[in-house]
Each structure stands twice: as structure tokens, then as C-alpha cells.
């Protein structure tokens, strides 16, 4: 019985003792990555609950039921953990935007999908961390990287708004400012959303999209109720 | 020549030597308050630029050209400074909301004024500080106070949306969620606004209000351009 799905790995390395208490290398790498992910997830939850500075490595270790020295096997320090969390939040957004682009359709279709993706991700641990922990918490070197990725996401929204105006589905507007308004309203969800609260992430996304796309003002003439 | 506009103060206290190098008590109190305000303003700017944790009392003193011990004459510690900044940001909003209520008009008029007030304040030092520094930076006791005031502001928006729907100017909606979307998009201005940047606060407020009130979708049927 094999410990791995990739027989070629075995062929390339020394024969393994099937009774060895150590798993084969590929499985060890997978386990290590799974554990690093668990560290990042626990950290993101704590950062979101208490703030970055109020969370210690001891808190993260305690939530995982391990010792602090164990954490150092997977991460160097708290800033590296935060960067890992924020990078994953950003990557989820980039992936979602890429999927919506591949899905095709009108600019309005793609913009709607991007807004749904964005609204969903900011209610999840890594996306919420991206919103709640400001860029100024990371060192200047890493801040540049985060801002570049955020700018890329913002530009994608701006591009879709511009195309939407061109295709006639969106009202003529300043695409940069409109993208800021959309991104702002959706980002803010990550600040006020409470998991298990009154609204599900799906309800929030649906209502926010409706308000942002349709606006607040009544479209048909008001009924004469008096 | 009097050092103060309130002669009654002099009548109640011992006669002052007009050549005294110490100003009379009321003037001293005014000077003290002006200096405390200068400490809060400098601190708000630094918190907004660098983040709360990255700003030291030494930084604040340096920006004011005084020594750190001098600061302790006006404030107890960094948390007290942050609370002072955030309280002023919140008070500016409450005052603006109160003014718009006194101004009267339809619910839509009042909502529009409140949105303008909110958008303007988050581009100013104390309002920006309110947005950029999360509640989790202050101790649990004070956090409760801040959240109560924020909830009061949120409820005012919710009340105006509800009344706007009742008067027929706003589309039927979930007032709570709509208030979150409005407040979120306007709050986010405080995260991305750069003083002296491409847009003035007035331009930003005007465009954001237009997008939020009118929505993103085109209202008239798209022109057949092809």
C-alpha cells in the first residue's frame, strides 16, 4: 500500500520501509503546508477579533493547542503571518476576478460577478483580515507589494466600469471614483460583518449589489399616497 | 487693557497686576485647551499617516517641536490621545447630523446633507482617524462608548432611509443594509483619500453621492450604437 498518489516519487527516491513511522517526503510537505495554513487561519481569526497588535504568537499557539516554539517551524514572526493572511485574501480576489473574466459575458455581467466575489471574500477569514488590518501594520518593503496587488484589483473594477459605460449598460460616470465607491461599500462589509449574525454573506452580497447597481433613489414616480 | 472678554471673572478673583507675566486664569484655560487641541491634531495626522501603533509620543512631541514631558501636561497616554481624536471625529458627525435635522426638508434632503457631512468629515484629520484606526486599538471600556456613538450615527442614517421610503423618494429597500452600504462607501473615502491629491473633498463627496443615490446602472434604455 502506497502512502502517496504519485508513484514516480518513490521511483526517484530510496525504497521506503512501509512500516517507517515517518511519512514519505511528499506527504510530509503536504502536512507541513496544511499546518502552515492552520496557523494562518487561526491567526486571521484572532487578528479580526482582537486586532493585529493585540494578538500574540502565544494566542495563536493557544488557539491551535500547540506551543509557541512549534509555530516557528512554520512561520518566522507575526508580520510574516499577517502577510501570509493578506496575500491569501488578495489571491482569492484575483482568482475570482480571473474566473469572472474567463466566464465572459457583458462588462455588466463580469462586474456583477466581481462584486459578488469581492463581497463574499471580505466575509471570510483572510479577506476580512485584508480589510481590518491596515497596510501600515506591515513594513515598508512589504507594503509596496500589497498596494500593487490592491491597485490591480481596483484597476480591474475600473476597467469593467469603463467597458460597462461603453457598452451602454452603465450610466456615464467617472470610472475611477465609481470603482472606489463600489470597492468601498463592499470592503466595509468586512468591517461590520459578524459571522453567524443577522444576515448571511449571500444576503449581504445580494442587497449590497442591488443598492450599488440600482442606487437608492426611487426609479418610478412615487405613488401619490396622500 | 483686559486680558479677557469676561470682566466678571476679574470681579470674582483678586485684582490682577497688569504687568504680571502670567495670564489670568480664563486665558490660561483657553491656552491650555488650544495646546491640547494642537496635540490631538498632530497625533491624528501621524496616526493617519503611520498607523496608531507605529506612532510614538516622541513622534507627536517632535511634530509639535516640544519635549515628550510637555505632552503629559495635556494628555495621560497614547490611548487618551486616540480617544480624544476619535471622539472629536464622532462629535463632528453628530453635530452635522443634528444641523441637517434642524435644517428640515424632506427625508431625502436630510439624508443628502448627512451624506455630504459624513463624506467631508472623513477627509479631515479627526474623521479620517475614526476610519483608519480600528476600535480594537482602544481598551474594552472605551470601545463600548465609541461603538454606542457609531451606532447612533448609523441609526440616524437608517431612520432617514426608512422615512425616505415612506415619503416615496427612495426605492423600497432594507433600511439597515442600505444604511450600511451608504456608510461603508462614504467611510472608505477616509481610507483612500490623499490630501492634496487628484480630487478635492468636494468632488469626492459630489461623485460618491451621485453614485450612491443614483446607482451604477443606466436609467434610460442604452443607445443602439452598433
Amino acid at each position: 500500500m502506497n502512502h502517496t498518489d504519485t508513484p514516480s516519487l518513490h521511483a526517484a527516491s530510496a525504497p521506503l520501509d512501509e512500516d517507517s513511522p515517518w511519512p514519505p517526503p511528499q506527504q510530509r510537505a503536504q502536512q507541513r503546508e496544511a499546518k502552515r495554513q492552520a496557523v494562518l487561519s487561526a491567526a486571521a481569526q484572532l487578528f479580526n477579533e482582537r486586532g493585529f497588535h493585540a494578538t500574540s504568537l502565544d494566542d495563536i499557539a493557544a488557539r491551535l493547542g500547540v506551543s509557541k516554539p512549534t509555530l516557528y517551524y512554520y512561520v518566522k514572526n507575526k508580520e510574516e503571518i499577517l502577510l501570509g493572511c493578506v496575500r491569501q485574501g488578495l489571491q482569492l480576489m484575483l482568482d475570482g476576478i480571473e474566473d469572472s473574466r474567463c466566464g465572459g459575458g457583458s462588462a455588466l455581467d463580469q462586474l456583477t460577478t466581481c462584486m459578488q466575489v469581492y463581497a463574499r471574500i471580505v466575509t471570510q477569514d483572510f479577506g476580512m483580515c485584508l480589510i481590518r488590518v491596515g497596510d501600515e501594520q506591515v513594513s515598508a518593503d512589504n507594503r509596496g507589494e500589497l498596494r500593487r496587488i490592491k491597485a490591480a484589483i481596483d484597476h480591474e473594477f475600473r476597467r469593467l466600469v469603463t467597458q460597462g459605460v461603453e457598452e451602454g449598460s452603465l450610466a456615464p460616470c467617472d470610472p475611477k471614483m465609481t470603482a472606489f465607491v463600489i470597492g468601498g461599500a463592499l470592503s466595509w462589509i468586512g468591517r461590520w460583518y459578524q459571522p453567524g449574525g443577522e444576515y448571511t454573506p449571500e444576503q449581504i452580497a445580494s442587497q449590497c449589489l442591488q443598492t450599488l447597481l440600482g442606487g437608492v433613489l426611487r426609479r418610478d414616480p412615487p405613488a401619490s399616497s396622500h
Side-chain angles (χ1 to χ4, degrees), chain A:
Chain A
M1 183 184 139
N2 253 328
H3 291 270
T4 166
D5 295 335
T6 316
S8 61
L9 192 82
H10 279 196
S13 55
L16 281 173
D17 178 356
E18 298 247 329
D19 295 328
S20 166
W22 286 278
Q26 197 200 19
Q27 194 177 333
R28 283 209 300 273
Q30 282 170 355
Q31 283 178 352
R32 188 183 148 78
E33 183 50 31
K35 286 173 181 165
R36 187 172 177 276
Q37 274 299 117
V39 171
L40 296 185
S41 286
Q45 288 165 11
L46 285 161
F47 295 159
N48 293 337
E49 291 165 17
R50 308 178 186 181
F52 177 65
H53 281 277
T55 302
S56 67
L57 284 175
D58 281 317
D59 295 331
I60 299 168
R63 180 153 295 191
L64 292 163
V66 301
S67 70
K68 187 159 88 170
T70 302
L71 292 187
Y72 287 118
Y73 187 62
Y74 305 100
V75 290
K76 247 192 339 229
N77 52 41
K78 220 170 69 163
E79 169 151 340
E80 193 193 279
I81 297 180
L82 177 61
L83 275 171
C85 294
V86 170
R87 279 199 192 107
Q88 287 204 33
L90 288 167
Q91 193 56 51
L92 287 168
M93 291 200 178
L94 290 173
D95 291 348
I97 289 172
E98 182 59 24
D99 285 351
S100 75
R101 191 201 281 264
C102 294
S106 68
L108 177 58
D109 290 339
Q110 289 183 45
L111 178 64
T112 305
T113 308
C114 281
M115 289 168 73
Q116 280 163 340
V117 163
Y118 198 106
R120 180 167 43 79
I121 291 169
V122 295
T123 62
Q124 297 168 351
D125 293 337
F126 294 127
M128 197 182 277
C129 189
L130 181 66
I131 302 302
R132 295 197 177 187
V133 184
D135 283 344
E136 60 281 349
Q137 312 288 4
V138 300
S139 62
D141 286 354
N142 294 316
R143 213 177 298 154
E145 177 205 330
L146 299 184
R147 291 193 176 164
R148 273 193 301 280
I149 308 179
K150 288 183 184 183
I153 294 171
D154 180 52
H155 275 87
E156 188 61 16
F157 273 95
R158 215 179 288 178
R159 184 184 70 78
L160 288 172
V161 171
T162 306
Q163 287 188 1
V165 173
E166 283 167 10
E167 77 183 12
S169 57
L170 303 189
C173 64
D174 176 334
K176 186 173 176 178
M177 189 73 78
T178 303
F180 276 152
V181 172
I182 292 173
L186 298 179
S187 294
W188 205 250
I189 297 171
R191 283 285 280 266
W192 59 262
Y193 173 68
Q194 292 288 343
E198 187 180 349
Y199 300 99
T200 66
E202 291 71 29
Q203 286 172 324
I204 293 169
S206 152
Q207 297 257 18
C208 287
L209 261 73
Q210 196 184 322
T211 302
L212 286 168
L213 289 171
V216 172
L217 292 174
R218 193 179 189 114
R219 292 208 170 204
D220 44 18
S224 57
S225 54
H226 296 292

